[in-house]
Amino acid sequence: MLTPSTQQPRERTKVTLPEVTRMYNDGTKISVITAYDATFARLVDQAGIDMILVGDTVGMVLQGQASTIPVTLEEMAYHVRLVARARPKAMIIGDLPFGSYQVSPQQAVETSIALMKAGAECVKLEGGVSMSETIAAITRVDIPVVGHIGLTPQSIHRMGGYKVQGKRDGFVAGGRERLLEDAHAVEQAGAFAVVLEGIPRDLAQEIRAKLSIPTIGIGAGPDCDGQVLVLHDLLGLSEYSFKFAKAFAAVGDEVVRATAEYAADVRSGAWPDDQHSYH
Ligand code: KIV
């Protein structure tokens, strides 16, 4: 971001809830990316991202778990703290892990408070109609909430895997009409934005048209008000590729190349050389 008169970088202002709402009202697309530590939080913030999601995908991309289910509140609080230490201008979303909010609205409020104390500036949780009371309880104590409906990874055992939702008509969980109800419920409960994950493009369009809060898509097509991606997918660091995700770089290949060059230089004695030695 350069100002035309001085060509000096313009200081970015902190992204807050009113700023996200302003972007939505202006029709400015909202960019969201996951990050789990201070280094990447600093880098993605430098790139001008609007919101950083400290997602429970940490369980899969950093911990090597098969799903997000095992991630604990203590682990999430730790990663939120790391991201917050980068003091990003991007708004920090703390993800509520499985088992830390489903028991009762009170449990959800306590969990949300824990993540806010760690440095989150809002929280995200999965679920629609069934979570409306919980979302209302969290927003009542002035903690902004991002909803998350569609392919909700914490529900893999009900869904039978990571399956696109809303392809079939019906009011049962994952049905098209049910997802429309979920979206409405999340908005009515007070969420200020909602993630739409793994749903057909035309359903995302319909939900977006019916809501008055920003829709943030991941595998929901280009018509949402913003998009979110997992950092490791975007950088080309992931083991797997997904139809909806784009690797904007091949950082994984670079890591392998640089490490192999380092190992070869160590073995041959080419590194360290005199230039990298103290005298
Ligand atoms: O945890 C996460 O990273 C997420 C995104 C995939 C939306 O919930």
Side-chain angles (χ1 to χ4, degrees):
M1 267 185 286
L2 295 176
T3 49
S5 53
T6 60
Q7 297 295 293
Q8 292 298 311
R10 195 194 305 142
E11 184 66 21
R12 224 158 66 93
T13 52
K14 178 71 189 165
V15 179
T16 57
L17 191 162
E19 173 64 7
V20 172
T21 304
R22 186 200 60 75
M23 290 174 77
Y24 170 67
N25 290 333
D26 287 358
T28 306
K29 294 263 189 180
I30 302 159
S31 58
V32 188
I33 190 76
T34 66
Y36 315 100
D37 64 29
T39 299
F40 277 109
R42 174 175 54 79
L43 293 173
V44 301
D45 198 52
Q46 216 170 301
I49 203 82
D50 298 311
M51 301 174 92
I52 295 174
L53 168 62
V54 188
D56 62 357
T57 42
V58 69
M60 299 171 84
V61 299
L62 289 197
Q63 299 175 346
Q65 312 254 28
S67 78
T68 58
I69 304 274
V71 176
T72 66
L73 175 58
E74 289 68 30
E75 288 165 348
M76 286 309 304
Y78 171 73
H79 287 284
V80 166
R81 263 198 303 279
L82 301 191
V83 166
R85 277 186 202 143
R87 290 187 293 284
K89 296 285 194 242
M91 186 170 185
I92 302 172
I93 310 168
D95 211 3
L96 305 191
F98 179 69
S100 74
Y101 63 97
Q102 291 92 344
V103 175
S104 66
Q106 183 179 334
Q107 184 206 25
V109 170
E110 286 169 5
T111 297
S112 302
I113 289 172
L115 289 194
M116 298 297 278
K117 283 187 183 288
E121 292 154 346
C122 60
V123 298
K124 176 174 84 58
L125 60 85
E126 298 182 9
V129 172
S130 62
M131 281 296 136
S132 58
E133 217 188 298
T134 298
I135 294 172
I138 301 171
T139 57
R140 256 198 304 277
V141 296
D142 272 351
I143 297 176
V145 174
V146 178
H148 184 166
I149 62 169
L151 193 175
T152 43
Q154 293 175 13
S155 310
I156 43 163
H157 298 299
R158 171 182 54 76
M159 296 182 299
Y162 298 98
K163 302 209 168 119
V164 174
Q165 302 292 291
K167 284 174 110 172
R168 268 188 302 235
D169 288 336
F171 286 91
V172 292
R176 191 179 173 99
E177 285 71 25
R178 172 61 182 265
L179 282 166
L180 286 161
E181 276 190 350
D182 283 337
H184 179 70
V186 163
E187 176 176 34
Q188 288 304 300
F192 77 98
V194 61
V195 170
L196 305 181
E197 178 165 357
I199 62 171
R201 178 177 177 175
D202 69 323
L203 177 57
Q205 280 173 328
E206 192 176 342
I207 290 174
R208 179 180 180 269
K210 290 196 161 125
L211 295 191
S212 306
I213 56 172
T215 50
I216 310 292
I218 174 164
D223 310 297
C224 296
D225 304 289
Q227 296 290 329
V228 55
L229 263 190
V230 170
L231 181 67
H232 290 55
D233 294 342
L234 175 154
L235 293 181
L237 280 169
S238 299
E239 221 175 320
Y240 308 103
S241 60
F242 307 98
K243 179 180 163 76
F244 66 84
K246 174 178 168 186
F248 287 79
V251 176
D253 293 345
E254 260 302 281
V255 170
V256 175
R257 187 207 55 75
T259 310
E261 190 178 320
Y262 162 73
D265 280 8
V266 168
R267 287 181 196 125
S268 71
W271 190 91
D273 54 14
D274 192 56
Q275 213 191 320
H276 291 94
S277 306
Y278 294 109
H279 294 286

XYZ file of all heavy atoms in Angstrom, residues 34 36 53-58 68 95 124 126 148 153 195 197 218 228 230, ligand 1:
156
model
N -5.512 -18.620 7.758
C -5.155 -19.168 9.069
C -3.681 -18.870 9.362
O -2.872 -18.715 8.443
C -5.350 -20.700 9.140
O -4.422 -21.332 8.262
C -6.764 -21.104 8.786
N -0.829 -19.826 12.899
C -0.803 -20.510 14.196
C 0.388 -20.069 15.060
O 0.580 -20.593 16.150
C -0.733 -22.031 13.976
C -1.703 -22.526 12.910
C -1.270 -22.794 11.610
C -3.060 -22.691 13.193
C -2.146 -23.233 10.624
C -3.944 -23.128 12.221
C -3.487 -23.397 10.935
O -4.360 -23.817 9.961
N -7.285 -16.270 11.143
C -8.013 -17.297 11.895
C -7.002 -18.252 12.527
O -6.252 -18.928 11.820
C -8.937 -18.079 10.952
C -9.553 -19.366 11.522
C -10.447 -19.076 12.717
C -10.342 -20.107 10.442
N -6.968 -18.260 13.861
C -6.182 -19.277 14.552
C -7.116 -20.482 14.628
O -7.913 -20.621 15.559
C -5.719 -18.810 15.943
C -4.733 -19.831 16.531
C -5.070 -17.434 15.872
N -7.059 -21.297 13.582
C -8.047 -22.356 13.401
C -7.654 -23.642 14.106
O -6.470 -23.905 14.360
N -8.674 -24.461 14.368
C -8.366 -25.773 14.956
C -7.763 -26.707 13.901
O -7.353 -27.833 14.230
C -9.592 -26.387 15.649
C -10.749 -26.653 14.708
O -10.641 -26.317 13.516
O -11.772 -27.212 15.158
N -7.641 -26.236 12.654
C -6.871 -26.988 11.655
C -5.411 -27.119 12.099
O -4.670 -27.896 11.514
C -6.913 -26.285 10.278
O -6.763 -24.878 10.466
C -8.179 -26.592 9.522
N -5.030 -26.368 13.127
C -3.698 -26.544 13.715
C -3.449 -28.029 14.014
O -2.322 -28.524 13.901
C -3.530 -25.671 14.986
C -4.387 -26.160 16.152
C -2.075 -25.589 15.415
N -9.617 -32.537 13.309
C -9.488 -31.444 14.286
C -10.025 -31.849 15.664
O -9.866 -31.109 16.637
C -10.277 -30.199 13.800
O -11.651 -30.562 13.613
C -9.719 -29.662 12.494
N -10.502 -19.949 17.295
C -11.443 -21.032 16.977
C -11.729 -21.857 18.231
O -10.800 -22.291 18.921
C -10.764 -21.932 15.923
C -11.757 -22.575 14.984
O -12.961 -22.293 15.091
O -11.301 -23.345 14.123
N -14.777 -18.132 16.792
C -15.559 -18.839 15.771
C -15.975 -20.193 16.335
O -15.199 -20.825 17.052
C -14.723 -19.049 14.506
C -15.446 -19.879 13.439
C -14.674 -19.954 12.155
C -13.617 -21.042 12.122
N -14.146 -22.419 12.360
N -18.509 -23.872 15.300
C -19.221 -24.614 14.262
C -20.646 -24.925 14.704
O -20.876 -25.285 15.861
C -18.473 -25.913 13.943
C -17.068 -25.661 13.397
C -16.324 -26.941 13.038
O -16.925 -28.036 13.050
O -15.116 -26.835 12.744
N -20.076 -20.802 11.661
C -19.415 -21.702 10.694
C -20.401 -22.826 10.393
O -20.704 -23.628 11.283
C -18.114 -22.230 11.320
C -17.288 -23.094 10.404
N -15.974 -23.420 10.695
C -17.551 -23.696 9.229
C -15.479 -24.185 9.740
N -16.429 -24.378 8.833
N -15.886 -29.440 10.027
C -14.973 -30.568 10.246
C -15.121 -31.274 11.593
O -14.797 -32.456 11.706
C -13.586 -29.931 10.096
C -13.817 -28.749 9.212
C -15.171 -28.227 9.607
N -18.813 -18.338 8.334
C -18.025 -19.125 7.376
C -18.961 -20.148 6.728
O -19.693 -20.857 7.425
C -16.853 -19.844 8.087
C -16.177 -20.849 7.151
C -15.835 -18.830 8.604
N -18.610 -23.384 4.567
C -17.580 -24.326 4.106
C -18.203 -25.483 3.337
O -19.196 -26.087 3.779
C -16.788 -24.873 5.308
C -15.729 -25.895 4.856
C -14.680 -26.213 5.908
O -14.697 -25.622 7.007
O -13.825 -27.068 5.603
N -15.221 -20.993 2.035
C -14.085 -21.905 1.803
C -14.716 -23.118 1.128
O -15.524 -23.836 1.732
C -13.297 -22.240 3.097
C -12.222 -23.309 2.799
C -14.179 -22.638 4.274
C -11.142 -23.442 3.876
N -11.708 -17.605 3.031
C -10.721 -18.047 4.011
C -10.019 -19.279 3.451
O -10.637 -20.115 2.792
C -11.354 -18.340 5.402
C -12.487 -19.336 5.344
C -10.295 -18.810 6.402
N -6.646 -22.184 4.426
C -5.636 -22.656 5.370
C -4.264 -22.267 4.797
O -3.972 -22.540 3.627
C -5.755 -24.184 5.566
C -4.568 -24.740 6.342
C -7.068 -24.516 6.290
O -9.891 -24.284 11.593
C -9.881 -23.761 10.479
O -8.832 -23.492 9.898
C -11.167 -23.478 9.842
C -11.167 -23.067 8.410
C -10.971 -24.242 7.534
C -12.387 -22.289 8.073
O -12.170 -23.593 10.472
